[in-house]
Amino acid sequence: MYRNLTRLPAAYSEQTHVILPLMNTSPLSSQGKGSSSISSDISSSTDHTPTKAPKNVATTEGLDSSTRTLSTPSPGLILPSKSSSLSSPALSSNGHETNSSSSSSAPAETVAVIHPQPGTHTRSRQSKTHHYAPIDLLPDHTLLQIFSHLSTNQLCRCARVCRRWYNLAWDPRLWSTIQLTGELLHADRAIRVLTHRLCQDTPNICLTLETVVVNGCKRLTDRGLHVVAQCCPELRRLEVAGCYNISNEAVFEVVSRCPNLEHLNLSGCSKVTCISLTQEASLQLSPLHGQQISIHYLDMTDCFSLEDEGLRTIASHCPRLTHLYLRRCTRLTDEALRHLALHCPSVRELSLSDCRLVGDFGLREVARLEGCLRYLSVAHCTRITDVGMRYVARYCPRLRYLNARGCEGLTDHGLSHLARSCPRLKSLDVGKCPLVSDSGLEQLAMYCQGLRRVSLRACESVTGRGLKALAANCCELQLLNVQDCEVSPEALRFVRRHCRRCVIEHTNPAFY
């Protein structure tokens, strides 16, 4: 019926033509084409929220003859003003667009054709040609359940299908999380557009957004994080791994304006040197609450600029830390760990992998965490010996996971202390520790019978005797890595026979 609305006959003189600016139209109008990334979805929309149509405007949809108020312009009712150069989208009988021809460039303005209530003759013609797509028969709550499993860029695409999907896709219940990916994505603009749309019902504040994940978006800068800090006061989780253009200023702004932030991933942000409140936020807090940054999880892996003073600032401002990962922060020394143990007594997981300046004195300070520590990684910390391991074994009896790979100073003596004092040990990695031999494994088999994962890769002194002791006593063993070890096939078959669920990683061609 409405095959070509841009060339209307004179009989439709009672129709109303309303000129709407392009910047105020709904993102449903097809302006952009291209890749499946979020950048194409965001770039095709505008930075402004759709202008609501007047409440006295009526339209028809399908067989419904009642008057309805348009909250946003329908994609089927938005037509280019220059019909001579652009083909108008054809309309199906239910009011939705069909694939005819798409415009190659955005016009300066659009024309919204609003039809009055149809007469009896119009209703009879529609009843003959009206058809619903099967998905249109689903109720709103079912579509919302489907949309809840979609990613951010998929939701943005669904919002461009039709008016009903637009309203459902922007339901606040679907937007507790924003997840953006892509090295070429203009992350600052994407965050600005999304938060601006989500703040439509609550100006300048998005109360539903709790998680923002923009890992790997290398074009993200401080401007994008400033938008998050200003618009998302209920933020609880922020991940910006690999966004190396972020600096201290933006991080300070986020932690100061988002008091509920608990999870912060800054891995790979090489410009970040510490975490603290802004000066304005510090002045507003009383002295008794000046250190209340509620972060529990902090990942600063590959933050090469982090030094002892920065970690001291972090520890003093984040006393609630339970998970701290400092992998490859090569400038940290034992002095930094002293401040950590002093201000953050609740740390349960700590990774110091490849912090080569950390030694036995640092482990002595880590041992002051006492009963809280469950996970410890000191891989490739070559200054650690049996002395530091003895401190850990004595004061951290609830240790579950230990990664000491590459600690060449570790011997059977330190492993014996660990086995006797940490009977709840579940996972142990002592690969590339050439001084660990069968004697240490026999001590582990005797006292740590709940072991599930053991890595002995490149342990030159380990033979079949130690492996048989492990297999005979640790029946729950699930993974055994003996690559580059001089272990006989008979010993490996013994392990497989006694630990049927164990996956054996080896380099012995005679064992299959």
Side-chain angles (χ1 to χ4, degrees):
M1 174 180 176
Y2 307 117
R3 180 64 59 182
N4 192 346
L5 296 182
T6 58
R7 301 178 181 178
L8 298 174
Y12 282 82
S13 60
E14 70 275 13
Q15 298 176 354
T16 304
H17 292 71
V18 182
I19 305 298
L20 299 177
L22 177 62
M23 295 300 291
N24 291 334
T25 58
S26 167
L28 296 167
S29 57
S30 58
Q31 300 176 14
K33 302 184 293 181
S35 66
S36 60
S37 65
I38 185 65
S39 58
S40 62
D41 299 323
I42 299 301
S43 61
S44 63
S45 64
T46 65
D47 293 350
H48 301 274
T49 55
T51 302
K52 295 185 179 181
K55 293 186 177 181
N56 58 348
V57 179
T59 184
T60 59
E61 182 177 0
L63 296 176
D64 187 7
S65 61
S66 61
T67 301
R68 300 181 60 185
T69 301
L70 293 178
S71 59
T72 56
S74 172
L77 300 179
I78 300 178
L79 306 176
S81 58
K82 298 180 181 180
S83 59
S84 59
S85 60
L86 299 174
S87 301
S88 61
L91 296 179
S92 64
S93 57
N94 62 352
H96 296 250
E97 292 184 4
T98 59
N99 294 331
S100 57
S101 62
S102 59
S103 60
S104 59
S105 62
E109 60 183 9
T110 57
V111 180
V113 182
I114 311 299
H115 296 281
Q117 290 185 352
T120 307
H121 178 70
T122 302
R123 186 184 308 170
S124 62
R125 291 187 60 183
Q126 284 186 347
S127 62
K128 296 180 180 179
T129 61
H130 186 75
H131 298 285
Y132 279 109
I135 198 170
D136 290 336
L137 301 178
L138 295 177
D140 288 351
H141 67 86
T142 303
L143 282 177
L144 283 175
Q145 184 67 24
I146 296 173
F147 287 175
S148 66
H149 298 281
L150 301 181
S151 61
T152 299
N153 61 329
Q154 292 170 338
L155 274 178
C156 292
R157 289 183 175 275
C158 288
R160 298 168 62 185
V161 172
C162 64
R163 180 176 56 186
R164 181 192 179 200
W165 281 33
Y166 176 82
N167 293 329
L168 291 176
W170 288 109
D171 190 294
R173 290 170 291 181
L174 300 177
W175 290 94
S176 62
T177 300
I178 288 180
Q179 184 170 3
L180 306 175
T181 57
E183 295 183 359
L184 301 180
L185 172 67
H186 199 314
D188 291 345
R189 184 173 185 273
I191 290 176
R192 185 175 69 251
V193 171
L194 289 173
T195 53
H196 189 73
R197 177 57 183 83
L198 295 174
C199 293
Q200 184 177 17
D201 297 329
T202 54
N204 301 325
I205 295 179
C206 181
L207 297 177
T208 61
L209 192 59
E210 296 182 352
T211 301
V212 175
V213 179
V214 285
N215 293 332
C217 297
K218 297 182 178 180
R219 299 181 66 181
L220 179 70
T221 66
D222 289 352
R223 290 177 294 179
L225 280 193
H226 282 307
V227 173
V228 173
Q230 294 171 4
C231 299
C232 308
E234 299 298 324
L235 190 68
R236 295 181 179 273
R237 183 186 185 105
L238 176 63
E239 297 187 17
V240 289
C243 303
Y244 49 76
N245 290 317
I246 293 174
S247 67
N248 287 342
E249 180 184 355
V251 176
F252 292 178
E253 187 76 12
V254 171
V255 299
S256 299
R257 289 178 173 265
C258 304
N260 297 324
L261 186 66
E262 298 178 350
H263 184 113
L264 181 59
N265 187 344
L266 298 171
S267 59
C269 301
S270 55
K271 294 183 180 180
V272 178
T273 60
C274 66
I275 296 175
S276 176
L277 295 172
T278 60
Q279 184 176 2
E280 295 79 6
S282 299
L283 294 176
Q284 295 175 0
L285 296 174
S286 63
L288 295 177
H289 300 84
Q291 300 178 352
Q292 296 304 311
I293 296 179
S294 59
I295 294 178
H296 294 260
Y297 179 104
L298 177 61
D299 191 345
M300 297 192 70
T301 300
D302 294 322
C303 291
F304 308 114
S305 301
L306 180 62
E307 298 181 350
D308 291 351
E309 184 62 23
L311 186 58
R312 186 193 67 81
T313 304
I314 293 173
S316 61
H317 284 81
C318 306
R320 303 181 185 179
L321 277 176
T322 58
H323 297 69
L324 179 61
Y325 304 95
L326 304 171
R327 307 179 187 96
R328 292 180 291 279
C329 295
T330 54
R331 298 186 182 184
L332 295 179
T333 67
D334 295 336
E335 181 66 18
L337 299 181
R338 185 174 68 86
H339 296 293
L340 181 65
L342 181 63
H343 297 287
C344 303
S346 302
V347 173
R348 296 168 57 90
E349 296 192 9
L350 176 63
S351 177
L352 301 169
S353 298
D354 293 284
C355 296
R356 300 182 183 273
L357 298 181
V358 173
D360 291 334
F361 180 79
L363 278 193
R364 176 177 176 271
E365 298 301 320
V366 169
R368 295 174 61 185
L369 297 172
E370 297 184 351
C372 293
L373 197 63
R374 302 289 189 276
Y375 172 108
L376 176 63
S377 176
V378 289
H380 305 293
C381 296
T382 54
R383 296 189 178 188
I384 290 178
T385 65
D386 291 341
V387 177
M389 200 57 63
R390 190 184 304 119
Y391 282 114
V392 173
R394 181 183 302 174
Y395 296 106
C396 303
R398 298 184 180 180
L399 194 65
R400 301 288 193 278
Y401 175 99
L402 175 64
N403 184 355
R405 182 192 311 146
C407 297
E408 298 179 356
L410 182 63
T411 68
D412 290 335
H413 187 63
L415 209 58
S416 176
H417 280 285
L418 186 69
R420 293 172 182 271
S421 302
C422 303
R424 302 182 183 181
L425 200 63
K426 300 293 183 183
S427 178
L428 176 66
D429 189 344
V430 288
K432 297 184 180 180
C433 295
L435 301 180
V436 171
S437 66
D438 294 333
S439 299
L441 296 185
E442 289 174 347
Q443 293 292 318
L444 282 174
M446 185 180 301
Y447 295 102
C448 301
Q449 298 183 2
L451 276 172
R452 297 182 180 179
R453 303 171 66 90
V454 177
S455 177
L456 304 169
R457 182 171 184 173
C459 290
E460 303 170 357
S461 303
V462 172
T463 65
R465 179 167 59 93
L467 293 186
K468 289 181 180 180
L470 279 178
N473 293 276
C474 304
C475 300
E476 299 181 9
L477 202 61
Q478 299 176 358
L479 176 64
L480 177 64
N481 188 339
V482 290
Q483 295 178 347
D484 302 320
C485 294
E486 298 295 332
V487 181
S488 65
E490 290 77 16
L492 297 180
R493 294 190 184 98
F494 185 91
V495 174
R496 186 171 60 182
R497 186 164 56 252
H498 286 77
C499 304
R500 297 184 179 276
R501 298 181 180 180
C502 182
V503 176
I504 304 175
E505 299 180 0
H506 64 93
T507 53
N508 192 330
F511 176 74
Y512 55 91

